[in-house]
Amino acid sequence: EDQVTQSPEALRLQEGESSSLNCSYTVSGLRGLFWYRQDPGKGPEFLFTLYSAGEEKEKERLKATLTKKESFLHITAPKPEDSATYLCAARNRDDKIIFGKGTRLHILP
Amino acid sequence: DTAVSQTPKYLVTQMGNDKSIKCEQNLGHDTMYWYKQDSKKFLKIMFSYNNKELIINETVPNRFSPKSPDKAHLNLHINSLELGDSAVYFCASSQDFLGHEQFFGPGTRLTVL
């Protein structure tokens, strides 16, 4: 069965302390790996799509990378406003989108 | 301008009732989705419509019936509500069925008593 697993479940960092969030996937015929940000009480907000191993995308302090088994969301010098839940999702060969359970990130000022 | 809107934002109802949640997108997208996010924040797709046509129907009880009167609207009707239906329901849209950027609505928090 296709699966997306995110780790850690929760992460607390000091402002400026860089780190990475992990997304491991077991998906038949990956057709896209997505990262979303979700703030409390709101819908997920799209960040990145990655299609093939070796691909990287950046946006401000965030960089997403992809290998054949996992994706990382690197956060460089985070600020308190980066606090949110980060969701990873994968689309399989049947175009079904499977979400992970998310990583709750808290950046302390 | 709200890209994807849902009404109501909160819905509290008794077991056994029938209720509907409405969704509208003004992005001109062809594809719309319904997701359920449970108490553990796990987001799971329920349905997907492309140009008013159902293309994904996950293993959802047939008490849940989506209706798409036009490609800008996708409503969700739920019959005989059960306690386990309590969750946040999100509507989303994408440019087309292969569109990988989905725009989500603000969610509807359904509480079944």
Side-chain angles (χ1 to χ4, degrees), chain A residues 24-54:
Chain A
S24 297
Y25 62 90
T26 309
V27 167
S28 54
L30 182 74
R31 299 184 70 177
L33 187 292
F34 318 106
W35 283 98
Y36 285 83
R37 169 189 170 130
Q38 186 173 22
D39 292 299
K42 295 190 175 180
E45 179 187 338
F46 174 79
L47 293 173
F48 304 108
T49 305
L50 302 166
Y51 293 100
S52 55

PDB file of all heavy atoms in Angstrom, chain A residues 24-54:
ATOM      1  N   SER A  24       9.420  10.382   3.989  1.00  0.00           N
ATOM      2  CA  SER A  24       9.735   9.116   3.320  1.00  0.00           C
ATOM      3  C   SER A  24       8.494   8.632   2.600  1.00  0.00           C
ATOM      4  O   SER A  24       7.397   8.703   3.154  1.00  0.00           O
ATOM      5  CB  SER A  24      10.168   8.065   4.346  1.00  0.00           C
ATOM      6  OG  SER A  24      11.336   8.470   4.999  1.00  0.00           O
ATOM      7  N   TYR A  25       8.684   8.125   1.391  1.00  0.00           N
ATOM      8  CA  TYR A  25       7.506   7.695   0.645  1.00  0.00           C
ATOM      9  C   TYR A  25       7.718   6.310   0.031  1.00  0.00           C
ATOM     10  O   TYR A  25       8.816   5.943  -0.367  1.00  0.00           O
ATOM     11  CB  TYR A  25       7.139   8.719  -0.441  1.00  0.00           C
ATOM     12  CG  TYR A  25       8.187   8.919  -1.494  1.00  0.00           C
ATOM     13  CD1 TYR A  25       8.198   8.150  -2.662  1.00  0.00           C
ATOM     14  CD2 TYR A  25       9.185   9.878  -1.350  1.00  0.00           C
ATOM     15  CE1 TYR A  25       9.157   8.339  -3.637  1.00  0.00           C
ATOM     16  CE2 TYR A  25      10.140  10.080  -2.318  1.00  0.00           C
ATOM     17  CZ  TYR A  25      10.131   9.302  -3.452  1.00  0.00           C
ATOM     18  OH  TYR A  25      11.093   9.495  -4.422  1.00  0.00           O
ATOM     19  N   THR A  26       6.642   5.570  -0.003  1.00  0.00           N
ATOM     20  CA  THR A  26       6.588   4.294  -0.716  1.00  0.00           C
ATOM     21  C   THR A  26       5.361   4.407  -1.595  1.00  0.00           C
ATOM     22  O   THR A  26       4.225   4.223  -1.156  1.00  0.00           O
ATOM     23  CB  THR A  26       6.419   3.114   0.259  1.00  0.00           C
ATOM     24  OG1 THR A  26       7.396   3.197   1.279  1.00  0.00           O
ATOM     25  CG2 THR A  26       6.553   1.796  -0.477  1.00  0.00           C
ATOM     26  N   VAL A  27       5.598   4.758  -2.849  1.00  0.00           N
ATOM     27  CA  VAL A  27       4.505   5.077  -3.762  1.00  0.00           C
ATOM     28  C   VAL A  27       4.767   4.418  -5.099  1.00  0.00           C
ATOM     29  O   VAL A  27       5.893   4.471  -5.606  1.00  0.00           O
ATOM     30  CB  VAL A  27       4.389   6.609  -3.926  1.00  0.00           C
ATOM     31  CG1 VAL A  27       3.486   6.989  -5.078  1.00  0.00           C
ATOM     32  CG2 VAL A  27       3.873   7.248  -2.645  1.00  0.00           C
ATOM     33  N   SER A  28       3.734   3.806  -5.665  1.00  0.00           N
ATOM     34  CA  SER A  28       3.869   3.158  -6.966  1.00  0.00           C
ATOM     35  C   SER A  28       3.863   4.208  -8.064  1.00  0.00           C
ATOM     36  O   SER A  28       2.889   4.918  -8.258  1.00  0.00           O
ATOM     37  CB  SER A  28       2.714   2.174  -7.167  1.00  0.00           C
ATOM     38  OG  SER A  28       1.477   2.833  -6.989  1.00  0.00           O
ATOM     39  N   GLY A  29       4.971   4.326  -8.764  1.00  0.00           N
ATOM     40  CA  GLY A  29       5.026   5.243  -9.904  1.00  0.00           C
ATOM     41  C   GLY A  29       4.826   6.693  -9.521  1.00  0.00           C
ATOM     42  O   GLY A  29       3.882   7.338  -9.963  1.00  0.00           O
ATOM     43  N   LEU A  30       5.754   7.221  -8.737  1.00  0.00           N
ATOM     44  CA  LEU A  30       5.632   8.593  -8.235  1.00  0.00           C
ATOM     45  C   LEU A  30       5.441   9.565  -9.393  1.00  0.00           C
ATOM     46  O   LEU A  30       6.225   9.613 -10.329  1.00  0.00           O
ATOM     47  CB  LEU A  30       6.875   8.976  -7.438  1.00  0.00           C
ATOM     48  CG  LEU A  30       6.845  10.363  -6.811  1.00  0.00           C
ATOM     49  CD1 LEU A  30       5.914  10.386  -5.605  1.00  0.00           C
ATOM     50  CD2 LEU A  30       8.257  10.807  -6.400  1.00  0.00           C
ATOM     51  N   ARG A  31       4.395  10.388  -9.294  1.00  0.00           N
ATOM     52  CA  ARG A  31       4.131  11.401 -10.325  1.00  0.00           C
ATOM     53  C   ARG A  31       4.182  12.806  -9.742  1.00  0.00           C
ATOM     54  O   ARG A  31       3.663  13.742 -10.351  1.00  0.00           O
ATOM     55  CB  ARG A  31       2.767  11.132 -10.964  1.00  0.00           C
ATOM     56  CG  ARG A  31       2.688   9.783 -11.649  1.00  0.00           C
ATOM     57  CD  ARG A  31       1.385   9.572 -12.353  1.00  0.00           C
ATOM     58  NE  ARG A  31       1.260  10.429 -13.529  1.00  0.00           N
ATOM     59  CZ  ARG A  31       0.230  10.392 -14.363  1.00  0.00           C
ATOM     60  NH1 ARG A  31      -0.761   9.569 -14.135  1.00  0.00           N
ATOM     61  NH2 ARG A  31       0.169  11.196 -15.399  1.00  0.00           N
ATOM     62  N   GLY A  32       4.800  12.939  -8.595  1.00  0.00           N
ATOM     63  CA  GLY A  32       4.953  14.263  -7.998  1.00  0.00           C
ATOM     64  C   GLY A  32       5.000  14.152  -6.494  1.00  0.00           C
ATOM     65  O   GLY A  32       4.261  13.367  -5.902  1.00  0.00           O
ATOM     66  N   LEU A  33       5.891  14.923  -5.877  1.00  0.00           N
ATOM     67  CA  LEU A  33       6.018  14.977  -4.420  1.00  0.00           C
ATOM     68  C   LEU A  33       5.787  16.441  -4.033  1.00  0.00           C
ATOM     69  O   LEU A  33       6.443  17.332  -4.591  1.00  0.00           O
ATOM     70  CB  LEU A  33       7.415  14.492  -4.010  1.00  0.00           C
ATOM     71  CG  LEU A  33       7.792  14.279  -2.541  1.00  0.00           C
ATOM     72  CD1 LEU A  33       7.866  15.568  -1.750  1.00  0.00           C
ATOM     73  CD2 LEU A  33       6.884  13.262  -1.872  1.00  0.00           C
ATOM     74  N   PHE A  34       4.849  16.682  -3.124  1.00  0.00           N
ATOM     75  CA  PHE A  34       4.430  18.051  -2.823  1.00  0.00           C
ATOM     76  C   PHE A  34       4.716  18.400  -1.373  1.00  0.00           C
ATOM     77  O   PHE A  34       4.609  17.542  -0.486  1.00  0.00           O
ATOM     78  CB  PHE A  34       2.923  18.214  -3.066  1.00  0.00           C
ATOM     79  CG  PHE A  34       2.438  17.551  -4.309  1.00  0.00           C
ATOM     80  CD1 PHE A  34       1.705  16.378  -4.254  1.00  0.00           C
ATOM     81  CD2 PHE A  34       2.712  18.102  -5.546  1.00  0.00           C
ATOM     82  CE1 PHE A  34       1.266  15.759  -5.404  1.00  0.00           C
ATOM     83  CE2 PHE A  34       2.275  17.477  -6.712  1.00  0.00           C
ATOM     84  CZ  PHE A  34       1.553  16.302  -6.628  1.00  0.00           C
ATOM     85  N   TRP A  35       5.001  19.660  -1.164  1.00  0.00           N
ATOM     86  CA  TRP A  35       5.093  20.195   0.194  1.00  0.00           C
ATOM     87  C   TRP A  35       4.070  21.326   0.350  1.00  0.00           C
ATOM     88  O   TRP A  35       3.942  22.183  -0.534  1.00  0.00           O
ATOM     89  CB  TRP A  35       6.495  20.738   0.478  1.00  0.00           C
ATOM     90  CG  TRP A  35       7.516  19.675   0.753  1.00  0.00           C
ATOM     91  CD1 TRP A  35       8.407  19.143  -0.120  1.00  0.00           C
ATOM     92  CD2 TRP A  35       7.753  19.026   2.014  1.00  0.00           C
ATOM     93  NE1 TRP A  35       9.178  18.197   0.508  1.00  0.00           N
ATOM     94  CE2 TRP A  35       8.808  18.107   1.820  1.00  0.00           C
ATOM     95  CE3 TRP A  35       7.184  19.123   3.291  1.00  0.00           C
ATOM     96  CZ2 TRP A  35       9.310  17.287   2.838  1.00  0.00           C
ATOM     97  CZ3 TRP A  35       7.675  18.315   4.303  1.00  0.00           C
ATOM     98  CH2 TRP A  35       8.730  17.424   4.076  1.00  0.00           C
ATOM     99  N   TYR A  36       3.360  21.277   1.479  1.00  0.00           N
ATOM    100  CA  TYR A  36       2.397  22.308   1.827  1.00  0.00           C
ATOM    101  C   TYR A  36       2.694  22.801   3.234  1.00  0.00           C
ATOM    102  O   TYR A  36       3.218  22.075   4.078  1.00  0.00           O
ATOM    103  CB  TYR A  36       0.959  21.759   1.820  1.00  0.00           C
ATOM    104  CG  TYR A  36       0.370  21.532   0.449  1.00  0.00           C
ATOM    105  CD1 TYR A  36       0.634  20.364  -0.266  1.00  0.00           C
ATOM    106  CD2 TYR A  36      -0.470  22.481  -0.129  1.00  0.00           C
ATOM    107  CE1 TYR A  36       0.084  20.160  -1.523  1.00  0.00           C
ATOM    108  CE2 TYR A  36      -1.030  22.280  -1.384  1.00  0.00           C
ATOM    109  CZ  TYR A  36      -0.741  21.116  -2.067  1.00  0.00           C
ATOM    110  OH  TYR A  36      -1.290  20.912  -3.316  1.00  0.00           O
ATOM    111  N   ARG A  37       2.274  24.031   3.487  1.00  0.00           N
ATOM    112  CA  ARG A  37       2.349  24.607   4.825  1.00  0.00           C
ATOM    113  C   ARG A  37       0.915  24.812   5.306  1.00  0.00           C
ATOM    114  O   ARG A  37       0.051  25.287   4.560  1.00  0.00           O
ATOM    115  CB  ARG A  37       3.060  25.957   4.753  1.00  0.00           C
ATOM    116  CG  ARG A  37       2.964  26.774   6.018  1.00  0.00           C
ATOM    117  CD  ARG A  37       3.472  28.174   5.840  1.00  0.00           C
ATOM    118  NE  ARG A  37       3.124  28.963   7.036  1.00  0.00           N
ATOM    119  CZ  ARG A  37       3.994  29.700   7.708  1.00  0.00           C
ATOM    120  NH1 ARG A  37       5.258  29.808   7.284  1.00  0.00           N
ATOM    121  NH2 ARG A  37       3.617  30.373   8.781  1.00  0.00           N
ATOM    122  N   GLN A  38       0.639  24.444   6.570  1.00  0.00           N
ATOM    123  CA  GLN A  38      -0.704  24.662   7.106  1.00  0.00           C
ATOM    124  C   GLN A  38      -0.601  25.407   8.436  1.00  0.00           C
ATOM    125  O   GLN A  38       0.034  24.933   9.383  1.00  0.00           O
ATOM    126  CB  GLN A  38      -1.458  23.339   7.303  1.00  0.00           C
ATOM    127  CG  GLN A  38      -2.903  23.547   7.730  1.00  0.00           C
ATOM    128  CD  GLN A  38      -3.708  22.272   7.772  1.00  0.00           C
ATOM    129  OE1 GLN A  38      -3.167  21.171   7.874  1.00  0.00           O
ATOM    130  NE2 GLN A  38      -5.025  22.401   7.666  1.00  0.00           N
ATOM    131  N   ASP A  39      -1.230  26.568   8.494  1.00  0.00           N
ATOM    132  CA  ASP A  39      -1.321  27.337   9.731  1.00  0.00           C
ATOM    133  C   ASP A  39      -2.582  26.922  10.476  1.00  0.00           C
ATOM    134  O   ASP A  39      -3.561  26.468   9.851  1.00  0.00           O
ATOM    135  CB  ASP A  39      -1.345  28.834   9.420  1.00  0.00           C
ATOM    136  CG  ASP A  39      -0.018  29.308   8.866  1.00  0.00           C
ATOM    137  OD1 ASP A  39       0.976  29.180   9.600  1.00  0.00           O
ATOM    138  OD2 ASP A  39       0.029  29.788   7.717  1.00  0.00           O
ATOM    139  N   PRO A  40      -2.600  27.070  11.810  1.00  0.00           N
ATOM    140  CA  PRO A  40      -3.770  26.642  12.590  1.00  0.00           C
ATOM    141  C   PRO A  40      -5.051  27.283  12.093  1.00  0.00           C
ATOM    142  O   PRO A  40      -5.107  28.492  11.846  1.00  0.00           O
ATOM    143  CB  PRO A  40      -3.422  27.112  14.008  1.00  0.00           C
ATOM    144  CG  PRO A  40      -1.938  27.155  14.046  1.00  0.00           C
ATOM    145  CD  PRO A  40      -1.513  27.588  12.669  1.00  0.00           C
ATOM    146  N   GLY A  41      -6.077  26.455  11.917  1.00  0.00           N
ATOM    147  CA  GLY A  41      -7.385  26.959  11.507  1.00  0.00           C
ATOM    148  C   GLY A  41      -7.485  27.347  10.051  1.00  0.00           C
ATOM    149  O   GLY A  41      -8.484  27.945   9.630  1.00  0.00           O
ATOM    150  N   LYS A  42      -6.485  27.001   9.262  1.00  0.00           N
ATOM    151  CA  LYS A  42      -6.493  27.362   7.835  1.00  0.00           C
ATOM    152  C   LYS A  42      -6.246  26.143   6.961  1.00  0.00           C
ATOM    153  O   LYS A  42      -5.819  25.091   7.444  1.00  0.00           O
ATOM    154  CB  LYS A  42      -5.432  28.421   7.549  1.00  0.00           C
ATOM    155  CG  LYS A  42      -5.705  29.744   8.248  1.00  0.00           C
ATOM    156  CD  LYS A  42      -4.768  30.812   7.753  1.00  0.00           C
ATOM    157  CE  LYS A  42      -5.123  32.160   8.377  1.00  0.00           C
ATOM    158  NZ  LYS A  42      -4.224  33.236   7.907  1.00  0.00           N
ATOM    159  N   GLY A  43      -6.522  26.308   5.680  1.00  0.00           N
ATOM    160  CA  GLY A  43      -6.243  25.246   4.738  1.00  0.00           C
ATOM    161  C   GLY A  43      -4.773  25.215   4.360  1.00  0.00           C
ATOM    162  O   GLY A  43      -4.066  26.203   4.507  1.00  0.00           O
ATOM    163  N   PRO A  44      -4.291  24.073   3.876  1.00  0.00           N
ATOM    164  CA  PRO A  44      -2.888  23.976   3.447  1.00  0.00           C
ATOM    165  C   PRO A  44      -2.586  24.961   2.323  1.00  0.00           C
ATOM    166  O   PRO A  44      -3.436  25.247   1.481  1.00  0.00           O
ATOM    167  CB  PRO A  44      -2.769  22.530   2.963  1.00  0.00           C
ATOM    168  CG  PRO A  44      -3.860  21.795   3.670  1.00  0.00           C
ATOM    169  CD  PRO A  44      -4.979  22.775   3.787  1.00  0.00           C
ATOM    170  N   GLU A  45      -1.349  25.450   2.327  1.00  0.00           N
ATOM    171  CA  GLU A  45      -0.888  26.389   1.312  1.00  0.00           C
ATOM    172  C   GLU A  45       0.271  25.748   0.567  1.00  0.00           C
ATOM    173  O   GLU A  45       1.246  25.295   1.176  1.00  0.00           O
ATOM    174  CB  GLU A  45      -0.448  27.688   1.982  1.00  0.00           C
ATOM    175  CG  GLU A  45       0.079  28.743   1.041  1.00  0.00           C
ATOM    176  CD  GLU A  45       0.656  29.937   1.803  1.00  0.00           C
ATOM    177  OE1 GLU A  45       0.290  30.135   2.968  1.00  0.00           O
ATOM    178  OE2 GLU A  45       1.493  30.651   1.229  1.00  0.00           O
ATOM    179  N   PHE A  46       0.177  25.713  -0.760  1.00  0.00           N
ATOM    180  CA  PHE A  46       1.178  25.049  -1.586  1.00  0.00           C
ATOM    181  C   PHE A  46       2.547  25.716  -1.469  1.00  0.00           C
ATOM    182  O   PHE A  46       2.657  26.949  -1.468  1.00  0.00           O
ATOM    183  CB  PHE A  46       0.712  25.075  -3.042  1.00  0.00           C
ATOM    184  CG  PHE A  46       1.712  24.553  -4.017  1.00  0.00           C
ATOM    185  CD1 PHE A  46       1.884  23.191  -4.194  1.00  0.00           C
ATOM    186  CD2 PHE A  46       2.504  25.419  -4.754  1.00  0.00           C
ATOM    187  CE1 PHE A  46       2.805  22.697  -5.090  1.00  0.00           C
ATOM    188  CE2 PHE A  46       3.438  24.944  -5.661  1.00  0.00           C
ATOM    189  CZ  PHE A  46       3.582  23.581  -5.823  1.00  0.00           C
ATOM    190  N   LEU A  47       3.576  24.873  -1.365  1.00  0.00           N
ATOM    191  CA  LEU A  47       4.952  25.372  -1.355  1.00  0.00           C
ATOM    192  C   LEU A  47       5.720  24.917  -2.600  1.00  0.00           C
ATOM    193  O   LEU A  47       6.220  25.729  -3.359  1.00  0.00           O
ATOM    194  CB  LEU A  47       5.686  24.883  -0.103  1.00  0.00           C
ATOM    195  CG  LEU A  47       5.209  25.418   1.246  1.00  0.00           C
ATOM    196  CD1 LEU A  47       5.916  24.698   2.391  1.00  0.00           C
ATOM    197  CD2 LEU A  47       5.443  26.924   1.328  1.00  0.00           C
ATOM    198  N   PHE A  48       5.860  23.592  -2.776  1.00  0.00           N
ATOM    199  CA  PHE A  48       6.702  23.058  -3.847  1.00  0.00           C
ATOM    200  C   PHE A  48       6.111  21.783  -4.429  1.00  0.00           C
ATOM    201  O   PHE A  48       5.400  21.055  -3.757  1.00  0.00           O
ATOM    202  CB  PHE A  48       8.100  22.659  -3.307  1.00  0.00           C
ATOM    203  CG  PHE A  48       8.849  23.736  -2.600  1.00  0.00           C
ATOM    204  CD1 PHE A  48       9.009  23.683  -1.220  1.00  0.00           C
ATOM    205  CD2 PHE A  48       9.425  24.784  -3.298  1.00  0.00           C
ATOM    206  CE1 PHE A  48       9.720  24.663  -0.552  1.00  0.00           C
ATOM    207  CE2 PHE A  48      10.126  25.775  -2.641  1.00  0.00           C
ATOM    208  CZ  PHE A  48      10.280  25.716  -1.257  1.00  0.00           C
ATOM    209  N   THR A  49       6.495  21.527  -5.697  1.00  0.00           N
ATOM    210  CA  THR A  49       6.325  20.210  -6.302  1.00  0.00           C
ATOM    211  C   THR A  49       7.676  19.764  -6.831  1.00  0.00           C
ATOM    212  O   THR A  49       8.381  20.541  -7.482  1.00  0.00           O
ATOM    213  CB  THR A  49       5.334  20.228  -7.481  1.00  0.00           C
ATOM    214  OG1 THR A  49       4.102  20.776  -7.062  1.00  0.00           O
ATOM    215  CG2 THR A  49       5.105  18.811  -7.991  1.00  0.00           C
ATOM    216  N   LEU A  50       8.035  18.505  -6.553  1.00  0.00           N
ATOM    217  CA  LEU A  50       9.257  17.903  -7.082  1.00  0.00           C
ATOM    218  C   LEU A  50       8.857  16.676  -7.881  1.00  0.00           C
ATOM    219  O   LEU A  50       7.948  15.927  -7.478  1.00  0.00           O
ATOM    220  CB  LEU A  50      10.203  17.498  -5.935  1.00  0.00           C
ATOM    221  CG  LEU A  50      10.620  18.634  -5.003  1.00  0.00           C
ATOM    222  CD1 LEU A  50      11.248  18.077  -3.729  1.00  0.00           C
ATOM    223  CD2 LEU A  50      11.610  19.553  -5.719  1.00  0.00           C
ATOM    224  N   TYR A  51       9.531  16.452  -8.999  1.00  0.00           N
ATOM    225  CA  TYR A  51       9.113  15.364  -9.881  1.00  0.00           C
ATOM    226  C   TYR A  51      10.119  14.225  -9.992  1.00  0.00           C
ATOM    227  O   TYR A  51       9.726  13.074 -10.216  1.00  0.00           O
ATOM    228  CB  TYR A  51       8.824  15.908 -11.283  1.00  0.00           C
ATOM    229  CG  TYR A  51       7.635  16.823 -11.347  1.00  0.00           C
ATOM    230  CD1 TYR A  51       7.792  18.205 -11.371  1.00  0.00           C
ATOM    231  CD2 TYR A  51       6.344  16.312 -11.367  1.00  0.00           C
ATOM    232  CE1 TYR A  51       6.695  19.047 -11.417  1.00  0.00           C
ATOM    233  CE2 TYR A  51       5.236  17.148 -11.415  1.00  0.00           C
ATOM    234  CZ  TYR A  51       5.425  18.508 -11.440  1.00  0.00           C
ATOM    235  OH  TYR A  51       4.330  19.334 -11.482  1.00  0.00           O
ATOM    236  N   SER A  52      11.420  14.550  -9.865  1.00  0.00           N
ATOM    237  CA  SER A  52      12.398  13.482 -10.087  1.00  0.00           C
ATOM    238  C   SER A  52      13.553  13.617  -9.102  1.00  0.00           C
ATOM    239  O   SER A  52      13.865  14.715  -8.609  1.00  0.00           O
ATOM    240  CB  SER A  52      12.901  13.519 -11.524  1.00  0.00           C
ATOM    241  OG  SER A  52      13.408  14.787 -11.839  1.00  0.00           O
ATOM    242  N   ALA A  53      14.177  12.470  -8.822  1.00  0.00           N
ATOM    243  CA  ALA A  53      15.297  12.425  -7.880  1.00  0.00           C
ATOM    244  C   ALA A  53      16.383  13.391  -8.319  1.00  0.00           C
ATOM    245  O   ALA A  53      16.730  13.475  -9.507  1.00  0.00           O
ATOM    246  CB  ALA A  53      15.837  11.005  -7.791  1.00  0.00           C
ATOM    247  N   GLY A  54      16.903  14.121  -7.343  1.00  0.00           N
ATOM    248  CA  GLY A  54      17.941  15.104  -7.633  1.00  0.00           C
ATOM    249  C   GLY A  54      17.411  16.510  -7.798  1.00  0.00           C
ATOM    250  O   GLY A  54      18.168  17.488  -7.782  1.00  0.00           O
TER     251      GLY A  54
END
